[in-house]
């Protein structure tokens, strides 16, 4: 009898929302590596593409106890998909606690540049308001706030020596206590995680290419990101996050930093090499410079992307392989 037929009789069960793949992405952003710029972009993109941007108000707790890890993984895993979760937090192994391992993305930069940016940001904030730093570090004494960077490095103040300088690697090594100890163990574990759990680790010095690749790999999150980033209105916002009162340490001080951060540099150059291989695979040329005796500091602007080069590789197949890991 037609009058009593239900929707299910005629149409079957209501259609389920088809989720794009991957539908769980974590950006465990490294401090002072352009992450505020990327989060500004993500806010715009989440509105535009309808994914769930899950952010955290906790900015200074990167190392977690086992219980805190379980709690955070549970909270992230139950977020509405597709989601992109972002927070300053060292790598979390979801599968260790029985969760689905999400796809990770991140961006790093020249380690000495990152350290200097943080050093001056903690003291003097950025162009969004010079009073910001007073709120951020209210207990910092005046003599510490105006401590000359060269004195800090040459006289071995804690802020300018290990383990404080061992900063980037733990974001990729993870929550194990040994991940905080400068050395080969943490370095190798960080490299392994980059290979096994990160879809992309870009370098800030080539941010436009990072955004291009994110758009290519994760279109349901990052489609149109480059045009938004290049929009003059957005550029104005980005300029507000530039750290103020940054000064260049002496060559001697930089050389000392470079020595103290040798594991960080080994990791940075490894990631950079992987990133350039990826760019080549997808037809973006890298500007290859001869290695210098020490890193080049204060790169003025992101490098321009050149014309693509031909590559026979089937990149769709390569992407599928990455997602299946």
């Amino acid at each position: 009898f037609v009058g009593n037929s239900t929707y299910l009789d005629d149409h079957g069960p209501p259609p389920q929302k088809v989720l794009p793949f991957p539908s769980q992405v974590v950006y465990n952003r490294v401090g002072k590596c352009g992450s505020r710029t990327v989060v500004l972009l993500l806010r715009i993109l989440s509105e535009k593409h309808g994914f769930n941007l899950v952010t955290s108000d906790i900015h200074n707790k990167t190392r977690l106890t086992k219980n805190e890890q379980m709690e955070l993984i549970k909270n992230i895993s139950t977020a509405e998909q597709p989601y992109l979760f972002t927070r300053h937090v060292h790598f979390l192994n979801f599968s260790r606690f029985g969760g689905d391992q999400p796809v990770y993305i991140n961006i790093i930069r020249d380690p000495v540049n990152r350290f200097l940016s943080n050093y001056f940001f903690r003291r003097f904030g950025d162009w969004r308001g010079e009073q910001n730093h007073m709120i951020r570090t209210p207990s910092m004494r005046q003599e510490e706030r105006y401590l000359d960077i060269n004195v800090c490095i040459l006289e071995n103040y804690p802020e300018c020596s290990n383990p404080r300088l061992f900063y980037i690697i733990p974001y990729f090594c993870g929550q194990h206590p040994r991940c905080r100890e400068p050395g080969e163990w943490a370095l190798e574990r960080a490299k392994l995680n980059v290979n096994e759990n990160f879809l992309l680790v870009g370098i800030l010095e080539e941010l436009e290419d990072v955004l291009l690749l994110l758009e290519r790999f994760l279109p349901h999150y990052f489609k149109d990101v480059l045009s938004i980033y290049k929009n003059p209105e957005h550029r104005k916002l980005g300029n507000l996050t530039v750290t103020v009162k940054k000064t260049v340490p002496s060559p001697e001080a930089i050389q000392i930093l470079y020595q103290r951060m040798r594991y960080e540099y080994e990791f940075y150059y490894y990631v950079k090499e992987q990133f350039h291989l990826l760019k080549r695979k997808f037809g973006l040329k890298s500007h290859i410079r001869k290695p210098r005796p020490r890193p080049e500091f204060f790169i003025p602007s992101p490098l321009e992307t050149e014309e693509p080069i031909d590559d026979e590789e089937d990149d769709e197949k390569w992407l599928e392989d990455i997602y299946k890991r």
Side-chain angles (χ1 to χ4, degrees), residues 76-118:
I76 299 170
S77 300
T78 53
E80 188 189 343
Q81 298 180 24
Y83 68 72
L84 190 149
F85 173 79
T86 181
R87 172 177 160 179
H88 294 299
V89 65
H90 295 166
F91 175 79
L92 291 160
N93 189 339
F94 282 59
S95 47
R96 184 182 165 211
F97 297 101
D100 290 337
Q101 191 68 6
V103 160
Y104 272 84
I105 57 172
N106 218 321
I107 300 172
I108 64 172
R109 76 192 281 193
D110 179 288
V112 166
N113 262 347
R114 195 220 69 82
F115 164 73
L116 294 176
S117 180
N118 188 59

Side-chain angles (χ1 to χ4, degrees), residues 247-258:
T247 58
V248 186
S250 68
E252 183 195 359
I254 284 182
Q255 206 58 52
I256 288 170
L257 275 184
Y258 193 32

Side-chain angles (χ1 to χ4, degrees), residues 131-167:
Q131 294 314 305
N132 271 3
H133 62 279
M134 295 299 185
I135 301 159
R136 188 173 294 101
T137 51
S139 60
M140 190 182 275
R141 299 191 312 279
Q142 285 299 88
E143 58 267 34
E144 189 187 349
R145 195 176 299 283
Y146 292 97
L147 175 64
D148 181 274
I149 183 78
N150 290 303
V151 172
C152 184
I153 296 163
L154 298 173
E155 296 187 12
N156 218 5
Y157 279 69
E159 189 177 356
C160 298
S161 54
N162 276 320
R164 297 275 187 91
L165 297 179
F166 193 69
Y167 181 87

Side-chain angles (χ1 to χ4, degrees), residues 24-48:
Q24 302 169 80
V25 177
V26 172
Y27 170 32
N28 64 321
R29 59 189 199 267
V30 181
K32 305 312 295 169
C33 289
S35 65
R36 283 178 304 156
T37 299
V38 177
V39 171
L40 278 174
L41 289 166
L42 283 167
R43 291 194 196 289
I44 298 165
L45 291 164
S46 65
E47 296 270 312
K48 191 175 164 73

Side-chain angles (χ1 to χ4, degrees), residues 23-302:
S23 59
Q24 302 169 80
V25 177
V26 172
Y27 170 32
N28 64 321
R29 59 189 199 267
V30 181
K32 305 312 295 169
C33 289
S35 65
R36 283 178 304 156
T37 299
V38 177
V39 171
L40 278 174
L41 289 166
L42 283 167
R43 291 194 196 289
I44 298 165
L45 291 164
S46 65
E47 296 270 312
K48 191 175 164 73
H49 302 318
F51 63 84
N52 182 15
L53 178 63
V54 186
T55 57
S56 171
D57 293 332
I58 303 166
H59 300 297
N60 55 0
K61 192 166 173 52
T62 52
R63 306 160 181 178
L64 309 177
T65 64
K66 193 173 173 184
N67 281 342
E68 287 168 339
Q69 289 177 58
M70 285 170 71
E71 189 65 25
L72 182 57
I73 285 170
K74 193 176 97 182
N75 289 345
I76 299 170
S77 300
T78 53
E80 188 189 343
Q81 298 180 24
Y83 68 72
L84 190 149
F85 173 79
T86 181
R87 172 177 160 179
H88 294 299
V89 65
H90 295 166
F91 175 79
L92 291 160
N93 189 339
F94 282 59
S95 47
R96 184 182 165 211
F97 297 101
D100 290 337
Q101 191 68 6
V103 160
Y104 272 84
I105 57 172
N106 218 321
I107 300 172
I108 64 172
R109 76 192 281 193
D110 179 288
V112 166
N113 262 347
R114 195 220 69 82
F115 164 73
L116 294 176
S117 180
N118 188 59
Y119 185 89
F120 293 106
F121 177 70
R122 286 185 68 237
R123 286 161 171 75
F124 307 114
D126 55 33
W127 292 113
R128 290 176 302 175
E130 194 137 335
Q131 294 314 305
N132 271 3
H133 62 279
M134 295 299 185
I135 301 159
R136 188 173 294 101
T137 51
S139 60
M140 190 182 275
R141 299 191 312 279
Q142 285 299 88
E143 58 267 34
E144 189 187 349
R145 195 176 299 283
Y146 292 97
L147 175 64
D148 181 274
I149 183 78
N150 290 303
V151 172
C152 184
I153 296 163
L154 298 173
E155 296 187 12
N156 218 5
Y157 279 69
E159 189 177 356
C160 298
S161 54
N162 276 320
R164 297 275 187 91
L165 297 179
F166 193 69
Y167 181 87
I168 298 171
I169 286 174
Y171 275 87
F172 299 87
C173 177
Q175 298 288 338
H176 192 286
R178 285 186 72 184
C179 286
R180 299 165 216 163
E181 297 167 14
E184 290 291 332
W185 189 90
L187 169 67
E188 292 308 317
R189 183 157 164 156
K191 287 183 187 175
L192 187 69
N193 273 333
V194 165
N195 294 336
E196 292 187 350
N197 292 297
F198 283 79
L199 176 64
L200 178 70
V201 183
I203 56 168
L204 184 62
E205 294 84 357
E206 297 171 45
L207 181 58
E208 290 194 7
D209 287 346
V210 178
L211 297 177
L212 266 176
L213 287 176
L214 284 169
E215 192 166 342
R216 185 76 174 266
F217 297 169
L218 299 168
H220 45 287
Y221 293 94
F222 286 97
K223 190 173 185 298
D224 302 323
V225 67
L226 199 56
S227 55
I228 296 166
Y229 173 70
K230 287 180 156 181
N231 180 307
E233 286 305 306
H234 181 267
R235 276 291 165 95
K236 269 189 230 162
L237 277 177
N239 289 340
L240 294 176
T241 65
V242 173
T243 302
V244 298
K245 293 197 180 181
K246 211 192 271 185
T247 58
V248 186
S250 68
E252 183 195 359
I254 284 182
Q255 206 58 52
I256 288 170
L257 275 184
Y258 193 32
Q259 287 305 315
R260 288 177 188 166
M261 299 171 99
R262 65 188 183 279
Y263 293 112
E264 295 273 276
Y265 271 101
E266 198 175 323
F267 182 72
Y268 172 72
Y269 289 130
Y270 175 79
V271 165
K272 191 173 184 175
E273 189 182 357
Q274 298 296 311
F275 181 66
H276 284 170
L277 286 171
L278 210 48
K279 277 172 58 169
R280 187 173 171 77
K281 190 184 275 286
F282 286 90
L284 305 172
K285 274 188 187 167
S286 297
H287 297 250
I288 305 297
R289 293 197 183 96
K290 286 181 183 165
R292 294 164 186 265
R294 66 164 190 263
E296 184 178 0
F297 300 101
F298 305 107
I299 293 160
S301 63

